[in-house]
Amino acid sequence: MDKKAFFKLTYGLFVVGVEFEGQLNGCIINTAAQATSEPGRLVATMLKTNLTTELITKKGSMAVSVLSMDCPLDKIAHFGMQSGRTKEKFAGIPFEKDERGNPYIVEGTIARFSCRVEQTIDLGSHYLFICEVENCQTTGQQEPITYADYRKMKSGGAPKKPADAAAAGSEGASGGQAKQGKWVCSICHYVYDGEIPFEELPADWRCPVCQRGKEVFVLET
Ligand SMILES: Cc1cc2nc3c(=O)[nH]c(=O)nc-3n(C[C@H](O)[C@H](O)[C@H](O)COP(=O)(O)O)c2cc1C
């Protein structure tokens, strides 16, 4: 099976935010999609190990921010490459709270959805949340960023600003590795950027973001 086929599917990029008992957290997902229009429903597939997922299962609701083309790469890395277990992710990020108190970001976004979880389906590594949209709003007029745009920008393909290029470099997706290909986690999209060649990492090495083994990494050339 050629797992790179999964990268040919078209996705957007989103920040899912949640507040539970005073704790705010959020993470990047690319798996939000509309499921039905009457009533309005969204689905989202989320790693069980994410703090955001844990808080959503407790709260039963979440806010989804739709990211735009002017969202800087470092903001995507901020929410998608580190966990709220070790970092207060909303500190210093402009946000507002929805009707259920869940945070949505207001810069680099074009829409927000307030979602109540109707059903949770256990997919093993992930939960699939099926959500009723209780409210939604347009927050900007830019084009939405797609997951393909993000991957192109990360590999140095026409970043919009010098700051974005720097952010792409700091995530290790540019430079020498990009020429030979890079190892990407097919679960959480972490791009390996360590000093040791990926092939030489020990068999029990784990993705620092989602903790899955080497076998879920795909070489992208
Ligand atoms: C481009 C991109 C797409 C991602 N898509 C998803 C996704 O669809 N579902 C998911 O659970 N995690 C996804 N992740 C990974 C989470 O954002 C990541 O594990 C995050 O560190 C979790 O943070 P938390 O522990 O604070 O919730 C994605 C990350 C990136 C960079």
Side-chain angles (χ1 to χ4, degrees):
M1 186 160 75
D2 176 10
K3 286 192 173 172
K4 281 184 282 188
F6 284 99
F7 292 129
K8 307 298 180 196
L9 293 169
T10 306
Y11 309 94
L13 275 186
F14 315 88
V15 170
V16 176
V18 60
E19 177 277 341
F20 180 71
E21 294 185 343
Q23 184 176 14
L24 291 174
N25 198 50
C27 74
I28 296 286
I29 64 167
N30 63 281
T31 52
Q34 181 176 355
T36 59
S37 55
E38 278 302 328
R41 282 197 187 93
L42 293 191
V43 289
T45 312
M46 300 202 47
L47 278 166
K48 286 179 180 174
T49 48
N50 288 350
L51 175 63
T52 312
T53 311
E54 186 185 317
L55 297 179
I56 292 168
T57 56
K58 290 176 178 161
K59 175 93 180 242
S61 63
M62 60 191 187
V64 177
S65 307
V66 181
L67 301 185
S68 55
M69 282 298 280
D70 62 347
C71 180
L73 276 180
D74 57 1
K75 191 178 273 182
I76 298 174
H78 176 83
F79 280 102
M81 298 277 184
Q82 56 187 350
S83 177
R85 297 185 201 283
T86 54
K87 171 108 190 170
E88 215 181 300
K89 290 198 205 171
F90 276 95
I93 302 278
F95 71 91
E96 289 178 20
K97 286 187 175 181
D98 73 3
E99 296 74 7
R100 287 186 181 265
N102 294 321
Y104 59 92
I105 58 175
V106 292
E107 288 178 3
T109 64
I110 47 173
R112 62 100 180 176
F113 293 83
S114 296
C115 302
R116 180 184 66 82
V117 178
E118 276 186 334
Q119 282 184 60
T120 301
I121 298 177
D122 190 335
L123 299 178
S125 58
H126 291 66
Y127 286 124
L128 172 65
F129 294 123
I130 302 176
C131 302
E132 176 198 359
V133 175
E134 294 186 318
N135 196 7
C136 53
Q137 186 185 7
T138 302
T139 56
Q141 299 304 324
Q142 290 272 334
E143 287 297 307
I145 186 170
T146 66
Y147 181 50
D149 293 327
Y150 162 75
R151 287 162 52 76
K152 197 168 168 191
M153 284 153 62
K154 260 184 75 70
S155 343
K160 297 182 299 309
K161 299 190 283 269
D164 284 347
S170 72
E171 287 173 49
S174 61
Q177 278 217 2
K179 291 189 194 93
Q180 300 127 24
K182 52 198 175 184
W183 287 93
V184 181
C185 177
S186 62
I187 303 292
C188 72
H189 312 277
Y190 167 77
V191 180
Y192 176 71
D193 66 348
E195 295 292 314
I196 304 168
F198 184 82
E199 294 84 348
E200 292 170 26
L201 289 170
D204 61 354
W205 181 87
R206 306 217 144 248
C207 172
V209 175
C210 71
Q211 307 303 319
R212 301 295 295 270
K214 283 179 77 176
E215 69 284 355
V216 302
F217 277 69
V218 174
L219 179 63
E220 281 186 50
T221 50

